[in-house]
Amino acid sequence: MRTTVGIIGAGPAGLLLARLLHVAGIDSVVLESRGRAYVEHRQRAGILEQGTVDVLRAAGAGERMDREGLRHDGIELRFARQRHRVDFPGLAGGRSVMVYAQTEVCKDLIALQLEEGGPLLFEAEALAVEDADTARPRVPFRHDGREDVLECDYVVGCDGFWGVARTAFPAALSRTFERTYPYGWLGILADVAPSHDELVYARHDRGFALLSMRSPRVSRLYLQVPADTDAADWSDDAIWTELERRFETADGWRLERGPITQKSVTPMRSYVHEPMRYGRLFLTGDAAHIVPPTGAKGLNLAVGDVVTFARALTHRQETGSAGLLDAYSATCLRRVWQAERFSYDMTTLLHPAPDATDFEHRLQLARLERIAANRAARTDLAEGYTGFPLD
């Protein structure tokens, strides 16, 4: 099998890249090791930055998002039983965010790819990336019980941290930067209307809590818990009781309870792999970088990567210049490190560390009070949350 761009992984990054290339008239083949049903139902992040929303619309993948997604013009910071709203459009040049689950983004992009795009092979396991430092990289893969080889001009790894793309980089070339946090998030889905119309980020001495949503009828909530927590150890009543404690306010606001349909624990980690390019192999998304979920940056960073690659390859096809492709890693990493910084700041702002001293608790409160009282501090948060430019 032969194509211009071999894409490993049919998550939102791989699917969006295939769509962007199709719009630009560049052929590709997408290999996904899982089945279609799995890809369309795995639960992941659901906050889309303004830039991500704009890219999906421009690619012809925004119709259902605009119809069913929930535009959010701010978030609420909650601490010391007080509520403080951060107004995104007023602080960040009119930008906002959209609540639209990753599963729905994948469904939209899969439908477009199968109807209009190039081959999208489910249950096609990429076994390796070979000859990445030559003009003809190859991806051996297994599909329908047979082994085959995808020959490409370029390979883009959208296959996550455990995929084959990252491991194809020579050890002597790779540098990694990592931080593991001593806590995780116990997350639940509940069949109850969200108790607030915007996301609520609550800092409490007992730990962080987040009120989010999947739709007007389904709530998504999180609790900070020790990193080794087993979700099965928490009863539904214990979860709701702890959420009520951490969200409590002085004005009598109430958290509505409902049936919990799913619960799991998400680890908290920061990770960056440098560089993001080796020869004609390019990394995107979790294959190159991981952020803690506090800043809602993971999916949006992956979108930034594939937009950068698609623009660079289109420029190469139109002008013959490989300058933008050669600059791919440096271009992406500037944005990646700003997102890592923002995610780290949000995480350490809102999560009391297990061994935190009284001094450190007071510093957290002082940082939050500064944001609540100072427009410049709120502007910095709003600009980071709504997204760093994709240009």
Side-chain angles (χ1 to χ4, degrees):
M1 187 178 291
R2 182 83 177 85
T3 192
T4 301
V5 182
I7 301 172
I8 308 175
L15 292 166
L16 178 59
L17 177 57
R19 179 64 184 175
L20 295 174
L21 295 176
H22 172 75
V23 171
I26 301 171
D27 62 289
S28 68
V29 173
V30 184
L31 304 177
E32 168 56 48
S33 63
R34 302 279 194 162
R36 179 177 179 178
Y38 178 88
V39 175
E40 291 188 335
H41 291 91
R42 57 185 165 190
Q43 294 293 326
R44 294 291 188 273
I47 304 295
L48 308 183
E49 294 175 356
Q50 183 70 65
T52 297
V53 170
D54 294 342
V55 167
L56 289 170
R57 287 172 177 158
E63 180 180 351
R64 193 164 69 94
M65 172 191 70
D66 284 329
R67 187 173 66 250
E68 299 179 11
L70 306 174
R71 172 179 163 146
H72 280 207
D73 287 336
I75 59 172
E76 182 174 290
L77 296 178
R78 198 172 286 191
F79 61 94
R81 302 180 69 218
Q82 300 298 315
R83 305 162 65 181
H84 306 271
R85 185 172 186 268
V86 179
D87 171 33
F88 291 159
L91 296 165
R95 298 205 303 273
S96 61
V97 297
M98 182 80 76
V99 176
Y100 190 63
Q102 175 176 311
T103 52
E104 306 309 313
V105 173
C106 287
K107 289 175 186 176
D108 296 341
L109 290 169
I110 286 171
L112 282 171
Q113 184 71 8
L114 294 178
E115 181 180 351
E116 303 175 7
L120 166 55
L121 305 181
F122 291 105
E123 298 182 352
E125 180 186 5
L127 303 175
V129 178
E130 300 175 348
D131 303 327
D133 57 345
T134 73
R136 290 290 185 270
R138 297 156 35 95
V139 182
F141 68 96
R142 184 182 296 112
H143 184 236
D144 286 340
R146 299 190 303 272
E147 292 194 6
D148 201 346
V149 175
L150 179 61
E151 297 180 342
C152 326
D153 294 332
Y154 305 92
V155 177
V156 182
C158 308
D159 53 343
F161 181 80
W162 300 106
V164 300
R166 185 179 59 85
T167 60
F169 277 59
L173 180 67
S174 300
R175 295 187 66 199
T176 59
F177 306 84
E178 185 172 10
R179 179 185 178 94
T180 300
Y181 299 85
Y183 38 75
W185 279 8
L186 171 62
I188 64 166
L189 279 175
D191 286 339
V192 61
S195 299
H196 194 60
D197 55 1
E198 294 179 335
L199 273 69
V200 177
Y201 288 76
R203 187 271 177 202
H204 192 280
D205 286 348
R206 295 177 64 89
F208 168 76
L210 172 62
L211 185 157
S212 182
M213 63 281 295
R214 279 292 178 261
S215 76
R217 296 174 299 279
V218 178
S219 294
R220 183 72 158 151
L221 301 109
Y222 299 92
L223 284 171
Q224 176 186 345
V225 294
D228 59 354
T229 296
D230 183 344
D233 292 339
W234 281 75
S235 69
D236 292 4
D237 182 67
I239 291 171
W240 286 118
T241 299
E242 189 61 28
L243 285 166
E244 288 167 347
R245 288 194 188 105
R246 298 187 193 184
F247 284 124
E248 183 183 12
T249 65
D251 62 3
W253 178 92
R254 285 189 57 192
L255 178 68
E256 296 297 329
R257 295 190 177 199
I260 294 175
T261 60
Q262 183 185 109
K263 52 186 169 183
S264 61
V265 174
T266 301
M268 305 282 281
R269 184 181 178 212
S270 299
Y271 174 87
V272 179
H273 180 284
E274 294 186 3
M276 291 174 58
R277 176 194 178 183
Y278 166 54
R280 293 201 171 198
L281 169 61
F282 299 77
L283 300 182
T284 73
D286 287 359
H289 41 72
I290 296 170
V291 289
T294 324
K297 289 284 167 268
L299 168 60
N300 297 290
L301 271 184
V303 169
D305 296 341
V306 301
V307 168
T308 300
F309 177 82
R311 288 175 177 170
L313 184 56
T314 301
H315 181 74
R316 172 73 172 84
Q317 302 285 76
E318 293 175 348
T319 69
S321 170
L324 295 183
L325 283 172
D326 292 340
Y328 170 81
S329 183
T331 301
C332 289
L333 284 169
R334 281 194 294 272
R335 191 168 184 271
V336 166
W337 276 110
Q338 285 302 315
E340 291 283 355
R341 186 270 308 168
F342 177 79
S343 299
Y344 174 83
D345 286 350
M346 286 285 284
T347 301
T348 57
L349 173 70
L350 294 162
H351 293 74
D355 58 351
T357 64
D358 289 343
F359 178 81
E360 290 165 322
H361 282 298
R362 291 302 297 269
L363 281 182
Q364 277 187 320
L365 291 172
R367 291 167 65 192
L368 284 162
E369 288 164 357
R370 172 71 175 174
I371 293 169
N374 184 270
R375 182 180 177 87
R378 289 195 306 280
T379 298
D380 185 61
L381 190 156
E383 290 179 343
Y385 198 98
T386 56
F388 302 104
L390 293 177
D391 297 327

